[in-house]
Amino acid sequence: ASQYLIFNLQDESCFEWLPQENILFNGSQVRFTADINLSRNARYAGWEILCFGRQAQGELWQSGAMHQNVAIHRENKPIWLERAAIVPASELMKSVVGLGGNAVSASFVIAAGDVPPEVLAQCREMQPKLALHMHARYGVTALPEIISARYIGQSAQCARAYFESLWQILRPWYLGHA
């Protein structure tokens, strides 16, 4: 399966791409590509939640491959490039510097300029609220033009709830609306 998204955002526009999680069935061969092209002051917020296997069925992702490419450009200059190529047997799936055996990996990226320090501090104080997060790893990083949040754990619902909490903090900053 493949998904190829192209978003071209003009001045004063804002686009939020906040889909349901993608579940990689055992044996799936998937490619996710997103090209986000921003004009001078356009804003973008998007998340991706990946579940490796059908947890409710007790199915593990034991064969297949996942390729992911995300590129955000502002006025034709790259401000965010992310690439991943994962196979179930890779060290990345098991390593503590990778997924550490977790079945859920999630990323939330906002391109809206420099995040105010007080907003960043609020985001960094936020913690997942569901009980299933006890072994999860999560955090927020601010770069010029970008704020990025990550979640690695066992629960897509917990990842989504965490991102929704961050979204409630961030949206008034980048969009001016609750």
Side-chain angles (χ1 to χ4, degrees):
S2 63
Q3 173 181 293
Y4 186 63
L5 307 169
I6 300 174
F7 303 129
N8 296 306
L9 306 178
Q10 300 304 312
D11 279 347
E12 304 300 326
S13 66
C14 182
F15 183 67
E16 296 174 307
W17 177 255
L18 311 173
Q20 296 290 325
E21 65 272 8
N22 281 306
I23 301 171
L24 280 66
F25 289 37
N26 189 37
S28 62
Q29 304 274 339
V30 297
R31 182 173 298 276
F32 300 112
T33 302
D35 287 319
I36 299 101
N37 303 297
L38 306 174
S39 65
R40 181 174 41 90
N41 59 7
R43 297 163 316 266
Y44 167 80
W47 66 48
E48 189 71 50
I49 302 170
L50 299 173
C51 301
F52 297 98
R54 294 183 291 179
Q55 293 176 306
Q57 303 289 330
E59 177 188 85
L60 301 175
W61 189 56
Q62 297 175 316
S63 66
M66 190 277 300
H67 297 272
Q68 185 176 40
N69 297 304
V70 178
I72 302 175
H73 291 83
R74 183 171 304 283
E75 296 187 310
N76 299 316
K77 294 179 185 170
I79 59 173
W80 183 261
L81 300 172
E82 184 171 1
R83 310 242 186 279
I86 301 173
V87 295
S90 71
E91 283 298 314
L92 180 68
M93 293 296 289
K94 299 177 277 190
S95 171
V96 294
V97 297
L99 295 177
N102 287 293
V104 175
S105 175
S107 177
F108 184 16
V109 177
I110 297 155
D114 293 333
V115 63
E118 63 276 6
V119 173
L120 179 60
Q122 281 184 290
C123 289
R124 288 184 170 159
E125 291 172 9
M126 182 59 61
Q127 296 181 12
K129 294 182 177 143
L130 298 176
L132 295 173
H133 83 277
M134 68 180 111
H135 298 293
R137 293 179 294 159
Y138 51 90
V140 176
T141 302
L143 302 168
E145 297 254 359
I146 298 282
I147 183 168
S148 171
R150 303 288 185 164
Y151 175 94
I152 296 172
Q154 292 294 329
S155 169
Q157 294 83 5
C158 188
R160 184 176 185 85
Y162 174 58
F163 285 174
E164 287 173 348
S165 295
L166 292 173
W167 184 52
Q168 290 176 3
I169 295 168
L170 292 162
R171 196 168 199 253
W173 158 65
Y174 72 79
L175 190 58
H177 296 288

